[in-house]
Amino acid sequence: MKKRLETLLHTALSTLTSTGALPGDLAVSFQVEHTRDAKHGDFATNLAMVAGKAARMNPRQLAEQVIAALPADGAVTKIEIAGPGFINFFIDPQSQFDVIRRVHDLGAAFGMSGVGAGKTVQVEFVSANPTGPLHVGHGRGAAYGQVVAKLLKAVGFEVQREYYVNDAGRQMDILAASVWLRYLEECGEHIHFPYNGYRGDYVRSIAGDLLRRYGQRYRRPGAEVMAGLPADEPQGGDKEIHIDAIVDRAKLLLGEIDYQTVFQAGLENILGDIREDLAEFGVHYEQWFSERSLSDSGAVVKALEKLDALGWLYRKDGATWFASTRLGDEKDRVVVRDNGQMTYFASDIAYHLNKLERGFDRIINIWGADHHGYIPRVKASIQALGADASRLEVLLVQFAVLYRGEEKVQMSTRSGEFVTLRQLRNEVGRDACRFFYVMRKSDQHMDFDLQLATSRSNENPVYYVQYAHARVCSVLRQLDEKGWERNVPFGMDHLHRLVESHEHTLVAGLVRYPEVIERAALQHEPHLLVHYLRELAQEFHVYYNAHQFLVEDAPLRDARLNLITAVKQVLHNGLHLLDVSAPETM
RNA sequence: GCGCUUGUAGCUCAGCCGGAUAGAGCAUCGGCCUUCUAAGCCGAGGGUCGCAGGUUCGAGCCCUGCCAAGCGCGCCA
């Protein structure tokens, strides 16, 4: 209907320009929107006010001319000029009822569209370092990324979800060393566990597995391990220097092969846990992309060579730099350190080059908001490689500040004091978790109150929507118990019996659903869907309290049942996009 | 110090890329279950949209300054 009105208005505009009433070069972008207040009709447009300025005409006068030039449409019952020059359209409610048939016909497909058809998009999200279990911060990115991917799919994009596994680099070495030290402790060696090591219980558990599987094969004398190491932080030293020395010592004493075994044990164990955790959370990927595969295949070197050939690299202070300032970055960035090691950024350049070469029309990275300073250099690298940087879109997810009631929960991966995603899921349940995470705009700070999220009371908004769905199901069960037959086509023939304002409101709500999906998808804003579902559920609850559905009058009864089953279907479709269940009973 | 983001009801947040009287949930107060599930509904109170200017028919939204908060400013990842 919205699009129909837009077309009508465009026709009116071109009529007016062809008759010379309006200047021909008039370029206006007007909007047709749903009104907030029923007094203003069903739809309103700001056309006359927008065009009035350009045409140097009084908006209300222009509005009159537009209305006069407007082609007739049976569904429009009344047109009014209001306020400073709004044109308000009143729509015949009966003409909207077709949506009930469409919902029944399309079922789960209602709300999908083809705006993204033929385009491919990759969504990379979570991509947490496999150095420990996912915590509640990762959960928000996981829920957000999953829903963004599903929304894009719903509007026709071909979507590929990807997790970038940082299975190389210093942090992974520190994990390997931490596992080994815990293993040595299990063996009975006396060692000093580094301040900067990974202290979580999961590290001990991996060490225990290692011991059970391989016995004492990797045992080395504790004294030998600790001999001559630079002091750790609590002893007045530097924790970073200390931990690096431990890593070197581990590599030395274990040798390449054994070190790799310990390293792999840590990586596989944690990555396996992450995969399982995400799967249980309803988050799935088409691809797990290994960072190490990039360096192993020489892709990183190749990417740097390409940049060099294009004149973007230079050498200074023994390091190799990328001249990103020439493309808007704050400062140039090192890609190869003076010790010959590639930086993380070098891998990232190769990774994004790889993504571009895979041919996606659009690439979406979902990052924690603390990485926002990283965007200019990645975009610069894409541009430097001759690609269009606008193909990459970086969506930021603000880390949730965790509270337990009034008290702020401090988190640190290394200290092991963090609330894991798994703990949260177990406490709150998957539905509430997923709903809660995407309820708020993702790039906004969010206070995540664990007490609230874990409450099974009506404070938890997910129940409100689910309850509306369950209520429809319950009505259908009551129908059976009364031994009444339901005739869907018969009900469709009597939709004109739906004359209550509650019914018209609900129908208008159904009409909006596809628009909401499209907007939520294209703007990557799942919270719009959440808000919509709450509104639709509310309109249903209001209707439920105001009118009886299971009435003696069969035509009216079947018409109402068709309406509420359409509502049920839309609630189901929306919840499904959020990966929240739509229960039949509660 | 510089950059990015944010500031809306007691709390948590929306506000459809400049529109009509700024909304919702929770919390508070008062009503509604012999009738399809009360995890629901109806009603009430609650606001200087951080502050001050500016742009125009019109600003919570755009511009400038100030105040406050978060994040980022490594040859870390």
Side-chain angles (χ1 to χ4, degrees):
Chain A
M1 196 66 226
K2 203 166 170 176
K3 297 211 165 118
R4 202 156 123 193
L5 289 174
E6 278 168 14
T7 319
L8 291 180
L9 288 165
H10 276 296
T11 331
L13 266 188
S14 49
T15 309
L16 288 178
T17 46
S18 68
T19 59
L22 283 175
D25 57 346
L26 197 64
V28 285
S29 63
F30 61 89
Q31 289 172 312
V32 175
E33 51 188 18
H34 293 274
T35 56
R36 209 171 291 168
D37 190 333
K39 276 183 293 196
H40 301 135
D42 298 291
F43 295 92
T45 181
N46 59 354
L47 182 141
M49 291 180 292
V50 178
K53 188 184 285 182
R56 263 177 256 134
M57 282 177 70
N58 179 316
R60 291 189 69 110
Q61 277 175 7
L62 178 60
E64 279 177 37
Q65 294 194 28
V66 171
I67 292 169
L70 216 52
D73 188 308
V76 180
T77 54
K78 194 166 61 160
I79 302 176
E80 276 182 1
I81 302 170
F86 287 102
I87 303 175
N88 293 336
F89 296 91
F90 292 76
I91 306 298
D92 177 10
Q94 302 292 329
S95 74
Q96 305 251 60
F97 285 169
D98 190 48
V99 72
I100 298 175
R101 288 188 198 88
R102 281 208 307 282
V103 174
H104 277 85
D105 291 346
L106 294 171
F110 178 74
M112 297 188 180
S113 74
V115 284
K119 286 183 210 133
T120 56
V121 55
Q122 188 214 38
V123 184
E124 183 221 318
F125 60 109
V126 184
S127 300
N129 282 350
T131 52
L134 298 177
H135 54 68
V136 293
H138 299 123
R140 192 176 186 192
Y144 177 65
Q146 172 73 8
V147 178
V148 165
K150 288 188 83 162
L151 281 168
L152 288 169
K153 211 173 203 167
V155 298
F157 288 95
E158 187 182 314
V159 181
Q160 196 244 24
R161 291 164 294 187
E162 184 157 304
Y163 188 117
Y164 182 55
V165 183
N166 295 114
D167 51 5
R170 180 164 172 266
Q171 293 306 319
M172 286 307 297
D173 281 325
I174 293 175
L175 175 77
S178 301
V179 168
W180 186 52
L181 292 177
R182 290 301 189 204
Y183 166 90
L184 293 177
E185 283 179 346
E186 289 285 311
C187 292
E189 293 295 335
H190 288 284
I191 53 110
H192 157 80
F193 196 84
Y195 181 77
N196 218 15
Y198 288 100
R199 317 186 79 95
D201 289 339
Y202 61 92
V203 177
R204 291 182 197 274
S205 146
I206 297 168
D209 288 349
L210 205 59
L211 184 59
R212 273 190 293 283
R213 210 163 132 198
Y214 298 101
Q216 306 217 339
R217 175 173 167 181
Y218 306 110
R219 182 170 183 173
R220 303 289 185 276
E224 203 175 323
V225 175
M226 306 314 291
L229 290 177
D232 200 359
E233 184 151 296
Q235 284 73 49
D238 183 320
K239 60 181 180 185
E240 305 292 349
I241 291 174
H242 178 76
I243 196 86
D244 283 339
I246 288 188
V247 168
D248 288 343
R249 183 63 51 88
K251 287 179 178 171
L252 182 72
L253 292 179
L254 283 169
E256 181 62 23
I257 298 197
D258 282 359
Y259 178 79
Q260 276 308 318
T261 310
V262 174
F263 184 99
Q264 279 301 117
L267 171 65
E268 282 165 17
N269 197 300
I270 289 173
L271 199 56
D273 175 76
I274 288 175
R275 283 176 197 260
E276 189 185 288
D277 199 6
L278 288 171
E280 284 170 10
F281 196 38
V283 175
H284 305 282
Y285 292 91
E286 277 76 32
Q287 174 92 271
W288 295 73
F289 193 97
S290 156
E291 177 189 0
R292 205 160 41 170
S293 73
L294 285 172
S295 40
D296 288 354
S297 70
V300 182
V301 173
K302 255 182 250 167
L304 293 185
E305 281 170 358
K306 191 168 175 185
L307 272 184
D308 201 19
L310 292 166
W312 292 99
L313 300 187
Y314 65 90
R315 270 150 274 284
K316 191 181 85 178
D317 302 334
T320 306
W321 299 70
F322 168 49
S324 52
T325 42
R326 280 159 58 193
L327 294 165
D329 196 9
E330 284 178 353
K331 52 183 79 167
D332 290 347
R333 309 293 173 175
V334 170
V335 287
V336 184
R337 295 201 264 162
D338 59 3
N339 65 8
Q341 281 191 336
M342 308 274 190
T343 60
Y344 176 85
F345 179 47
S347 303
D348 239 13
I349 293 172
Y351 180 42
H352 284 90
L353 179 60
N354 176 287
K355 287 186 180 190
L356 292 166
E357 284 169 347
R358 279 189 268 167
F360 298 109
D361 294 311
R362 297 170 69 183
I363 297 167
I364 294 177
N365 290 355
I366 296 176
W367 288 350
D370 55 339
H371 286 68
H372 71 259
Y374 203 75
I375 298 172
R377 79 190 73 165
V378 173
K379 289 229 174 204
S381 74
I382 289 176
Q383 228 176 311
L385 290 165
D388 177 6
S390 68
R391 270 166 75 188
L392 171 70
E393 222 173 328
V394 181
L395 307 180
L396 298 177
V397 177
Q398 276 289 352
F399 190 80
V401 182
L402 216 55
Y403 288 85
R404 242 183 237 288
E406 296 290 303
E407 199 185 336
K408 196 168 174 176
V409 180
Q410 296 296 337
M411 299 214 296
S412 154
T413 310
R414 205 152 290 157
S415 67
E417 296 162 13
F418 53 85
V419 180
T420 65
L421 176 59
R422 184 171 273 119
Q423 284 169 342
L424 185 72
R425 285 195 293 107
N426 290 340
E427 277 182 56
V428 186
R430 174 173 141 179
D431 287 345
C433 243
R434 291 291 297 267
F435 198 88
F436 210 94
Y437 270 133
V438 296
M439 200 162 82
R440 302 274 132 85
K441 218 167 157 182
S442 63
D443 60 351
Q444 300 289 4
H445 305 259
M446 175 172 107
D447 285 355
F448 197 124
D449 187 342
L450 284 169
Q451 254 167 31
L452 182 67
T454 53
S455 76
R456 292 194 171 272
S457 70
N458 57 356
E459 288 169 21
N460 225 322
V462 62
Y463 299 124
Y464 186 80
V465 178
Q466 289 182 319
Y467 185 46
H469 183 269
R471 267 186 155 173
V472 179
C473 296
S474 172
V475 170
L476 296 175
R477 281 193 300 273
Q478 286 292 321
L479 180 77
D480 273 353
E481 281 172 27
K482 289 187 192 245
W484 281 343
E485 288 293 310
R486 177 182 171 212
N487 187 329
V488 175
F490 184 70
M492 292 301 181
D493 289 340
H494 293 88
L495 294 178
H496 62 272
R497 296 290 308 279
L498 303 177
V499 295
E500 302 293 342
S501 65
H502 296 102
E503 290 159 345
H504 298 163
T505 306
L506 220 35
V507 167
L510 296 176
V511 168
R512 275 177 56 216
Y513 180 69
E515 299 167 16
V516 170
I517 296 302
E518 186 172 318
R519 237 186 70 132
L522 297 179
Q523 300 188 11
H524 320 305
E525 293 185 338
H527 76 280
L528 295 176
L529 175 57
V530 175
H531 284 281
Y532 168 83
L533 290 174
R534 261 162 66 152
E535 280 164 32
L536 187 67
Q538 183 186 29
E539 285 157 7
F540 173 76
H541 286 308
V542 172
Y543 181 39
Y544 181 96
N545 274 275
H547 299 285
Q548 190 84 11
F549 309 143
L550 300 178
V551 291
E552 295 285 344
D553 183 351
L556 179 61
R557 183 176 70 231
D558 281 341
R560 286 185 169 169
L561 288 174
N562 284 357
L563 172 59
I564 66 168
T565 49
V567 170
K568 170 179 176 261
Q569 180 73 58
V570 169
L571 290 175
H572 173 91
N573 292 1
L575 287 171
H576 183 72
L577 281 170
L578 302 176
D579 284 312
V580 172
S581 70
E584 308 246 318
T585 59
M586 284 179 73

